[in-house]
Amino acid sequence: MFVMKVSRVQASMGGQTGLFLFWLHVFCEVVLADVWKVDVEHKMEALVSSCVVLPCKFTYPAQQQPSDRIRGIWHKEKKWDDIIFHGDKTLVEDNFKGRTKLIGSLGGSNCSLEIDEVKNIDNGPYCFRVELETAPEDKYSFAENCVSINMIEEAPNPVVEAETSVLEGEPAIFKCSVRHTCPTHQPSLSWNHSGKIISSYKSLGHGNWEAESLLTFTPTKEDSHTSIECTVKYHGNVKGKMKASRPVFVKEKATLSHIIIPALSGLGAALLVGTVCFLVVKRYRFRSGEGRSELGGREQRRSIWSRFSRRDQRHQIDRGFDNKRNYAGFGDKEFSKARMPSPKSQSKCYTAESYDDDDYTNTADLNLYGNI
């Protein structure tokens, strides 16, 4: 009886202990989860046949340890045994042997991983695991913070920036840049033109980098209507055009001749136009005066001609008078008009007795026609 009671008490205590241990484990998980942290980029891009660096930072609850007491491991998501990087290279998958390495210091909490000779199948996701050698229980796998990789088959072309039109004799600057995700093997940029070249690299954040090259030279007339070309060379056997160019147009530098020649040309053109206008006006006035002279001559000739025309009309009247006289009965007998006495010498007083009938008739006719 006593034994049965003791057994029941032990069973009750054992159940309470198990429940306590369960809640302690949950609490530790929550606390440790707040202390064991990792900072990675969840999505990255990689150029096939080149390299990529997966940036990674982590923290752990213990005191800071040197790198030789910290073990960093990269493995596939949900597959802890599919290791792509380990300090013991014999534990690495054959597909990743010799292609992966840590580029940071684990003692400085840098767990960045480089993957070289990237393949199409290297898309992940990949997770980081840290183990401290101070105690076997000090290890943590960040299974919920993994990295996926998007593969790029062909390299992007560089970007060339510069002024299309440059001034002769003045320094011109051309900029060539390209973005990438492998800072351990920066792409190299080259130019097809000589000059001063300055290369630089900078981080754009989130695992992206930019390589930049500045070309400075003094353009001449021979550089006009040519192209300045920039070529990028990536690490590895990368496919793609990897070239970009920019046309150049060189403006001649303004000199005294560039100011005088256009001014003289404009002045000469103005003088030419003025001379032509003057000649046209002068010719027009000359023609107008000549026309008026010709019109006056015509009027003068017309007045002279009208005088002759009146004489002809009088002659025609005389001829008509002769015809009438012949028609009146004189026949072919020559007629001579009697001279009339001057009014001053003799008065016009005639009597019937002075003329006979025939003479009177003829005289009347003569007086009639003589007064016409």
Side-chain angles (χ1 to χ4, degrees):
M1 182 79 176
F2 178 76
V3 174
M4 291 178 63
K5 288 183 178 179
V6 171
S7 299
R8 288 178 181 177
V9 171
Q10 290 178 346
S12 177
M13 291 178 64
Q16 291 177 356
T17 302
L19 183 63
F20 171 77
L21 292 175
F22 172 76
W23 285 110
L24 179 63
H25 175 73
V26 172
F27 175 77
C28 289
E29 287 289 336
V30 173
V31 172
L32 292 177
D34 290 337
V35 177
W36 294 85
K37 293 182 180 181
V38 70
D39 183 15
V40 296
E41 295 295 332
H42 298 285
K43 292 183 179 181
M44 291 289 296
E45 290 184 347
L47 188 59
V48 176
S49 299
S50 186
C51 60
V52 62
V53 172
L54 310 181
C56 176
K57 289 280 187 179
F58 72 99
T59 58
Y60 51 92
Q63 294 181 353
Q64 189 172 359
Q65 301 292 325
S67 297
D68 57 355
R69 293 194 177 186
I70 302 175
R71 182 181 297 113
I73 303 170
W74 281 85
H75 60 85
K76 293 182 179 179
E77 186 181 28
K78 298 180 182 179
K79 297 179 180 180
W80 290 13
D81 295 332
D82 293 344
I83 298 175
I84 65 172
F85 172 80
H86 197 286
D88 186 358
K89 296 181 180 180
T90 60
L91 301 178
V92 179
E93 285 188 358
D94 294 338
N95 186 36
F96 287 94
K97 283 183 178 180
R99 296 198 301 120
T100 58
K101 65 177 180 179
L102 292 178
I103 62 171
S105 172
L106 293 176
S109 301
N110 188 341
C111 51
S112 299
L113 177 70
E114 176 192 301
I115 303 176
D116 197 8
E117 298 177 7
V118 176
K119 300 178 181 180
N120 288 326
I121 59 175
D122 297 340
N123 54 350
Y126 305 114
C127 309
F128 178 68
R129 176 180 176 83
V130 61
E131 297 178 356
L132 303 180
E133 294 183 0
T134 55
E137 65 276 6
D138 289 341
K139 50 188 176 181
Y140 196 89
S141 182
F142 303 96
E144 295 182 357
N145 293 279
C146 301
V147 182
S148 299
I149 303 176
N150 179 33
M151 299 300 167
I152 300 176
E153 296 291 338
E154 293 188 0
N157 295 332
V159 178
V160 178
E161 300 177 18
E163 294 291 337
T164 303
S165 180
V166 296
L167 189 61
E168 180 185 8
E170 296 293 332
I173 300 176
F174 285 74
K175 175 185 174 181
C176 181
S177 60
V178 65
R179 295 186 178 184
H180 62 96
T181 55
C182 187
T184 54
H185 299 280
Q186 294 281 356
S188 60
L189 300 170
S190 60
W191 300 89
N192 68 337
H193 197 287
S194 60
K196 183 180 178 181
I197 299 176
I198 300 177
S199 299
S200 62
Y201 311 96
K202 62 181 179 180
S203 174
L204 302 177
H206 305 287
N208 295 303
W209 292 74
E210 183 181 65
E212 182 180 281
S213 178
L214 294 178
L215 170 66
T216 305
F217 69 97
T218 303
T220 61
K221 292 181 181 180
E222 289 73 16
D223 294 321
S224 187
H225 296 83
T226 61
S227 295
I228 303 299
E229 186 178 83
C230 175
T231 304
V232 58
K233 182 175 176 56
Y234 294 93
H235 172 72
N237 187 21
V238 179
K239 298 179 180 179
K241 185 178 179 181
M242 297 177 289
K243 290 183 179 181
S245 61
R246 186 83 172 182
V248 181
F249 301 96
V250 180
K251 293 181 180 179
E252 293 186 10
K253 192 173 183 180
T255 59
L256 188 60
S257 60
H258 289 83
I259 300 174
I260 294 177
I261 292 176
L264 292 177
S265 299
L267 181 60
L271 290 175
L272 179 61
V273 172
T275 303
V276 171
C277 293
F278 174 75
L279 294 176
V280 170
V281 172
K282 185 176 180 181
R283 185 175 181 83
Y284 172 76
R285 290 181 177 177
F286 176 77
R287 287 188 174 181
S288 299
E290 186 180 8
R292 286 194 295 271
S293 300
E294 184 178 354
L295 181 60
R298 289 181 180 177
E299 292 292 337
Q300 185 177 4
R301 288 193 298 271
R302 186 177 300 170
S303 61
I304 296 173
W305 175 254
S306 62
R307 294 176 184 176
F308 285 102
S309 298
R310 295 192 193 100
R311 291 182 179 179
D312 292 342
Q313 291 176 1
R314 286 197 296 270
H315 289 306
Q316 291 176 1
I317 293 173
D318 293 340
R319 292 192 189 96
F321 172 75
D322 293 339
N323 292 332
K324 288 180 179 180
R325 184 191 61 183
N326 293 332
Y327 178 78
F330 291 96
D332 295 334
K333 184 179 179 180
E334 185 177 354
F335 174 79
S336 61
K337 183 177 180 180
R339 183 176 299 271
M340 294 298 172
S342 174
K344 294 181 180 181
S345 60
Q346 185 178 355
S347 60
K348 293 182 180 181
C349 185
Y350 304 97
T351 60
E353 291 81 4
S354 301
Y355 302 95
D356 55 8
D357 293 336
D358 294 337
D359 291 337
Y360 177 79
T361 304
N362 293 336
T363 303
D365 292 338
L366 290 175
N367 288 338
L368 175 63
Y369 289 101
N371 294 331
I372 294 178

